[in-house]
């Protein structure tokens, strides 16, 4: 039987424990992944006890409280706090989601927080997203036309506009992409569910006049066809979108044009 083990410098150790203030009664423990490239040490999991009576209801509220009041070295991304920017995407209690929309009360027991999986870590809960953003640029996610532009806006019927529902809402948090085993294995060649959902958004747009060019760009053994319909992407999407369906629709378009 084969035996697999992490490299010595990848093994996660037990970090420090930060106790709640004396007198706190409603305490929740947050076990948070910590790593910095600056000290040469292995990653660790630090434990923070947070008084929920003095904290907002969301995971992001607790993270901000920890950074402001307990440990200022904790690093994470956040911005809008409204579930529309995707900045605070991370793995919470084993699920990729947004910290700003995930209620503390929805997690039983200790809350375990890690960066998005299978991505290089910049520091603590911050993943390196350079590769998926380069892949986004490769699909040219903007309206492309060849005809003379109208004097006003390009019009769509109600039915044409409805085809974009379930696509335009994607906030590029990459929760879906980093939950996809195919992307874990071939992330430098397979575009992944988030980018392919974005690609289908432009393929579905009645105003776009570059569908053939866009399909040519995806006609590759790896860029599109590594999807095996595992459905992790759809299950984990914090916006309730269905990237797997979008990928299937692109494949149908490929077949139809042949």
């Amino acid at each position: 039987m084969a035996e697999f083990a992490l490299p010595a410098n990848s093994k996660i150790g037990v970090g420090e424990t930060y106790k709640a203030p004396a007198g706190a009664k409603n305490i929740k423990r947050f076990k948070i992944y910590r790593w910095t490239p600056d000290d040469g040490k292995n990653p660790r999991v630090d434990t923070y006890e947070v008084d929920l009576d003095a904290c907002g209801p969301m995971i992001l509220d607790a993270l901000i409280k920890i950074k402001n009041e307990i440990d200022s070295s904790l690093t994470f991304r956040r911005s809008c706090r409204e579930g529309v920017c995707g900045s605070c995407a991370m793995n919470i209690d084993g699920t990729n989601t947004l910290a700003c929309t995930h209620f503390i009360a929805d997690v039983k027991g200790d809350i375990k927080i890690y960066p998005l999986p299978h991505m290089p870590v910049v520091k603590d809960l911050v993943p390196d997203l350079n590769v998926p953003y380069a892949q986004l640029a490769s699909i040219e996610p903007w309206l492309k036309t060849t005809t003379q532009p109208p004097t006003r806006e390009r019009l769509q019927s109600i039915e044409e506009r409805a085809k974009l529902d379930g696509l335009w809402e994607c906030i590029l948090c990459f929760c879906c992409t980093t939950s996809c085993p195919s992307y874990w294995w071939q992330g430098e060649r397979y575009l992944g569910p988030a980018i392919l959902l974005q690609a289908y958004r432009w393929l579905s747009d009645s105003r776009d006049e570059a569908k053939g060019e866009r399909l040519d760009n995806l006609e590759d053994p790896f860029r599109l066809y590594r999807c095996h319909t595992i459905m992790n992407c759809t299950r984990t999407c914090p916006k309730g979108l269905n990237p797997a369906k979008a990928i299937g629709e692109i494949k149908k378009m490929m077949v139809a044009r042949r």
Side-chain angles (χ1 to χ4, degrees), residues 8 47 108 129 144 157 161 174 181 189 212 215-216 228-229:
T47 301
K108 296 180 180 179
L129 298 176
K144 300 174 71 174
S157 68
R161 172 57 186 79
F174 297 110
R189 302 181 68 181
L215 290 173
D216 287 342
H228 298 300
T229 324

Side-chain angles (χ1 to χ4, degrees), residues 227-241:
C227 173
H228 298 300
T229 324
I230 297 169
M231 302 297 290
N232 279 6
C233 56
T234 299
R235 278 189 288 268
T236 200
C237 177
K239 304 297 287 185
L241 308 183

Side-chain angles (χ1 to χ4, degrees), residues 4 12 63 66 76 94 100 181 198 206 221 232 235 239 244-245:
F4 299 94
I12 301 175
L63 290 173
I66 290 168
F76 53 92
C100 67
Q198 291 286 328
S206 61
N232 279 6
R235 278 189 288 268
K239 304 297 287 185
K245 180 181 178 182

Side-chain angles (χ1 to χ4, degrees), residues 98-118:
L98 302 177
C100 67
T101 61
H102 200 88
F103 284 95
I104 296 171
D106 287 342
V107 182
K108 296 180 180 179
D110 297 346
I111 299 179
K112 299 174 182 177
I113 305 178
Y114 289 79
L116 291 176
H118 295 271

Side-chain angles (χ1 to χ4, degrees), residues 46 70 120 135 139 152 157 159 172 176 195 198 204 208 217 228 243:
D46 286 350
I70 302 174
Q135 292 170 328
I139 66 163
R152 298 184 65 183
S157 68
E159 293 74 20
L172 288 169
C176 61
I195 304 306
Q198 291 286 328
S204 298
D208 191 86
N217 186 37
H228 298 300

Side-chain angles (χ1 to χ4, degrees), residues 184-206:
W184 301 344
W185 304 326
Q186 296 151 343
E188 293 185 359
R189 302 181 68 181
Y190 173 48
L191 294 181
I195 304 306
L196 290 172
L197 179 78
Q198 291 286 328
Y200 184 58
R201 178 255 177 273
W202 295 101
L203 286 166
S204 298
D205 197 318
S206 61

Side-chain angles (χ1 to χ4, degrees), residues 151-170:
T151 56
R152 298 184 65 183
E153 67 270 16
R154 295 181 184 272
L155 299 178
Q156 285 184 299
S157 68
I158 294 175
E159 293 74 20
E160 289 169 338
R161 172 57 186 79
K163 292 179 180 179
L164 303 183
D165 289 338
L167 304 173
W168 66 266
E169 300 95 328
C170 174

